[in-house]
Amino acid sequence: MTGGAPCARCVIGGSRYFGKRLIARLMAAGDRVTVINRGSSSPPPGTIHLVADRNDENSLEKALGSRTFDVVVDQVCYTPRQAEIARRVFAGHTRRYVMTSTVEVYEYEDSAELVREDAVNPRTVPVDPELPRDDPEFLDTHYGEGKRQAEAVFAADPEFPYVSVRVAHVLGGDDDFTGRLDLPHSRLRSSGGTPIAERIRAGEAIAVPATNHPATYIHLEENADFLAWAAGEEFTGPVTAASHGMLTTGELCEALAEHLPGGRTVFRAVFRSVEVGEFSPFSFSRSYGMDNARATRLGFAFGKAREWLPRAVAETLGKVN
């Protein structure tokens, strides 16, 4: 709050997973929350709903009108073109712009040490306007590159106060749409198309790289807390959102097996993935765990991944008491 008046927050997207939890936190804090989406879903009661296509600059400008915000949190910026539109439209309409980015911006890193934000400096990332960003298949397979170049667009304007929250792999909740932990409709499979929990139930082998590295994770509730916290701060630039401690494929599978009667974890080391999706979604042939020291110095208190992991698994498998 500033001078007792509610803060004006805007969330672009935010209709599912940690996005909807972010909106709930902002509203609980007494903020005046505006939600922008295409109209396919209704935001929570009490919010201001603006319908616009964020890929259409005129549509976004028309919906925005003369409104101004203390901060905008962009949950659905995946390409440099989307970033360019947002930067032009929101210039002069917000004091800060918080973009939800990803650990995948470090997809070319391979470091024995935890990776700091300066490992990928968005001011030095080239932006290629010729890439087929409108092709969903291209966008899906170049997710990290899209986020990296989107960050670069925001960073290119020194007058635009932006934050890129580089979120670790998110776990938890009974509405985890990625299906990495269970769920027969999962789009992320292990070992040739079977959900990882099903393989543990059956004691079937789970393919992992011959050299398999641990990774950084964050619980979805902690990530919603982080985004709400970041919205109220004054810092700019890239910042990491990741719980303390890294998790191995073995730890994740053991946590799953605890909830699967008779379940057994069996790994099969593969030197090279022959087909997309063969490796477990929790296995990594490169090391790029994230260093959360900057956010910690700025005042955010992260939890420990090993402490919340059992809860996350229970939530996702629908086994919370």
Side-chain angles (χ1 to χ4, degrees):
M1 301 285 182
T2 303
C7 292
R9 316 292 198 194
C10 175
V11 178
I12 305 176
S15 63
R16 61 181 180 177
Y17 210 37
F18 55 78
K20 66 183 183 183
R21 290 167 172 84
L22 164 65
I23 293 172
R25 282 160 171 74
L26 297 178
M27 294 183 66
D31 295 338
R32 186 171 67 252
V33 181
T34 297
V35 178
I36 299 177
N37 62 29
R38 291 176 297 180
S40 56
S41 61
S42 298
T47 60
I48 300 166
H49 188 195
L50 302 180
V51 177
D53 180 355
R54 62 128 351 111
N55 296 305
D56 184 330
E57 189 165 348
N58 290 332
S59 171
L60 196 54
E61 281 186 334
K62 184 177 179 180
L64 186 61
S66 60
R67 294 176 177 84
T68 59
F69 306 100
D70 295 294
V71 65
V72 173
V73 183
D74 190 344
Q75 293 282 83
V76 288
C77 185
Y78 302 112
T79 70
R81 180 176 177 273
Q82 290 175 331
E84 288 167 356
I85 290 173
R87 194 183 68 183
R88 287 194 296 265
V89 171
F90 284 96
H93 288 268
T94 185
R95 290 196 308 109
R96 289 173 76 244
Y97 197 96
V98 178
M99 169 196 165
T100 302
S101 190
T102 173
V103 60
E104 299 300 336
V105 301
Y106 300 116
E107 62 183 327
Y108 301 129
E109 300 300 315
D110 191 353
S111 170
E113 303 296 324
L114 294 178
V115 178
R116 300 186 307 181
E117 288 88 352
D118 58 7
V120 174
N121 181 353
R123 295 186 184 277
T124 64
V125 171
V127 176
D128 186 349
E130 302 303 319
L131 296 177
R133 300 290 182 189
D134 294 330
D135 180 349
E137 183 175 346
F138 179 89
L139 185 61
D140 187 55
T141 57
H142 294 79
Y143 176 69
E145 185 61 32
K147 287 286 191 179
R148 190 163 42 245
Q149 292 191 25
E151 286 192 30
V153 169
F154 288 125
D157 184 355
E159 301 301 316
F160 193 81
Y162 89 102
V163 176
S164 56
V165 178
R166 293 173 178 172
V167 180
H169 305 285
V170 183
L171 295 176
D174 61 359
D175 55 340
D176 182 354
F177 66 95
T178 68
R180 288 174 293 189
L181 286 176
D182 190 39
L183 307 181
H185 61 265
S186 169
R187 64 182 178 85
L188 290 172
R189 304 289 198 242
S190 72
S191 305
T194 305
I196 191 169
E198 292 300 323
R199 289 197 165 265
I200 292 172
R201 284 190 182 102
E204 296 177 0
I206 297 168
V208 296
T211 302
N212 189 18
H213 295 276
T216 39
Y217 293 84
I218 190 168
H219 191 277
L220 86 160
E221 299 289 354
E222 183 171 51
N223 193 49
D225 288 340
F226 188 92
L227 289 169
W229 168 79
E233 297 296 307
E234 297 297 327
F235 65 86
T236 57
V239 65
T240 290
S243 299
H244 294 303
M246 302 177 76
L247 297 174
T248 66
T249 312
E251 287 173 304
L252 287 155
C253 289
E254 287 168 13
L256 277 164
E258 286 290 320
H259 293 277
L260 303 171
R264 188 164 56 95
T265 301
V266 179
F267 292 123
R268 174 170 59 90
V270 178
F271 285 92
R272 190 165 69 108
S273 180
V274 177
E275 58 187 41
V276 174
E278 181 175 352
F279 289 151
S280 157
F282 300 115
S283 60
F284 303 93
S285 58
R286 290 171 295 102
S287 178
Y288 60 115
M290 295 198 293
D291 186 333
N292 63 15
R294 185 187 186 212
T296 300
R297 288 195 304 270
L298 288 167
F300 189 84
F302 290 102
K304 297 178 180 179
R306 287 186 178 87
E307 292 183 355
W308 57 250
L309 177 59
R311 169 192 168 198
V313 170
E315 290 168 348
T316 307
L317 297 185
K319 298 182 182 294
V320 178
N321 293 326

